[in-house]
Amino acid sequence: MKIGVIGLGSMGMGAAQSALRAGLDVTGVDTRDVARDAFVAAGGQAVASAAQLPQGINALVVLVVNAAQTEAALFGPEGALPRLAPGAVVISSATMGPEDARRIAARLEEAGMLALDAPVSGGAAKAATGEMTVMASGTAAAFDAAAPVLGAIATKVWRLGDAPGIGATVKVVHQLLAGVHIAVAAEAMALGIRAGADPQQLYDVVTSAAGNSWMFENRMARVLAADDAPRSAVDIFVKDLGLVAEMAKGLDFPVPLAAQAQQLFTAAHAMGQGQKDDGFVIRVWQAMTGIKLPGES
């Protein structure tokens, strides 16, 4: 089974390597030399554009940033569509709005391909170990065709319905929660620091009590370690909370907490922190109040 993975970033690299370990014939696609070299070093094949994929790809995972990049990767002048075998399955895993997911799926189906609307969660660590969560919708035929790949890259595959767009909807709602949780985790830690609490002790108390969340425990550990290397960058939540706002607007549905969180991530981006780890949205409070973060002079 010939597999293509477009986008060898923090999630795509893990997915590609997990598929490789499962014995699949995997070719990765990335414009960056360093990403291609890393995948080749892991035993895979890598090319610089989707148009260079081997002919007859049976399953294609698209793990790029957004809908526009997904469409370019599939249908653009250097797109993958001509390299796909008849009836191949495309596993579209970028975070995007449901209307975009439906439009892309319709174009694939018109071309005779199977489409799975399949955004993912779990971060770089879960991707690297083949333990992602997949929130997918599509036909039974698409799920069947994608099964070898999904089995290699994920430990939980949610089958959310037979219509593309449902997976994207669930992922957007998930990102609302994730973004708000990160922002409020940073706010709580910043408030504690400003009030004179020891950051490590504050962390230990919260993570052992009812106020804890997975995002507080995960992201504030990085703040304590002064480790702002991006596993998931601030700019991801500028984008994804924008998708929340867009979906909510179409439904005449208020999302005030998501809107406030997006403004905080946008402020961090404006401060030059867009490519830092998303927990370092805490630097917005640092800029406003002058607090000293752990490990920073």
Side-chain angles (χ1 to χ4, degrees):
M1 187 177 191
K2 289 184 181 179
I3 309 300
V5 178
I6 300 180
L8 297 175
S10 57
M11 301 287 279
M13 180 66 80
Q17 291 182 348
S18 296
L20 197 63
R21 287 194 302 271
L24 301 174
D25 180 4
V26 186
T27 301
V29 180
D30 203 287
T31 58
R32 298 167 299 154
D33 292 344
V34 64
R36 296 196 306 275
D37 291 346
F39 188 55
V40 170
Q45 307 165 76
V47 294
S49 78
Q52 296 172 325
L53 281 165
Q55 193 67 48
I57 293 291
N58 305 111
L60 183 68
V61 181
V62 186
L63 258 169
V64 292
V65 172
N66 54 28
Q69 288 189 8
T70 299
E71 289 190 283
L74 291 171
F75 310 117
E78 294 291 306
L81 191 61
R83 315 305 292 174
L84 303 183
V89 62
V90 175
I91 303 167
S92 176
S93 295
T95 301
M96 64 183 72
E99 290 300 324
D100 289 327
R102 284 189 280 267
R103 184 181 67 255
I104 289 168
R107 291 188 67 179
L108 287 168
E109 289 163 2
E110 287 169 7
M113 304 301 166
L114 298 169
L116 204 63
D117 169 22
V120 297
S121 182
K126 294 292 187 183
T129 56
E131 297 178 293
M132 292 194 294
T133 294
V134 179
M135 311 162 211
S137 61
T139 64
F143 274 103
D144 289 345
V149 179
L150 297 177
I153 69 174
T155 52
K156 184 63 180 178
V157 178
W158 290 97
R159 298 181 68 142
L160 302 172
D162 58 7
I166 304 171
T169 295
V170 172
K171 180 59 185 291
V172 170
V173 172
H174 175 276
Q175 292 305 87
L176 184 161
L177 288 165
V180 170
H181 285 180
I182 293 167
V184 76
E187 180 172 279
M189 179 62 78
L191 175 62
I193 292 171
R194 177 62 183 267
D198 177 86
Q200 183 64 59
Q201 289 183 331
L202 174 61
Y203 178 86
D204 292 342
V205 169
V206 171
T207 56
S208 68
N212 191 32
S213 69
W214 190 91
M215 285 299 190
F216 182 93
E217 187 164 349
N218 183 267
R219 297 316 202 258
M220 292 306 102
R222 298 176 194 170
V223 169
L224 290 173
D227 179 9
D228 65 4
R231 285 75 161 182
S232 173
V234 161
D235 282 348
I236 293 295
F237 280 97
V238 176
K239 172 184 74 77
D240 287 0
L241 290 170
L243 291 174
V244 173
E246 181 181 329
M247 188 172 83
K249 181 179 179 181
L251 297 167
D252 294 324
F253 190 91
V255 283
L257 298 181
Q260 184 61 59
Q262 188 194 23
Q263 289 300 301
L264 292 164
F265 285 105
T266 300
H269 170 87
M271 292 166 53
Q273 301 295 308
Q275 290 304 305
K276 302 300 184 182
D277 192 80
D278 51 31
F280 283 81
V281 68
I282 196 172
R283 288 185 176 138
V284 173
W285 286 272
Q286 183 182 35
M288 291 188 293
T289 66
I291 60 172
K292 182 179 176 181
L293 297 181
E296 295 187 355
S297 57

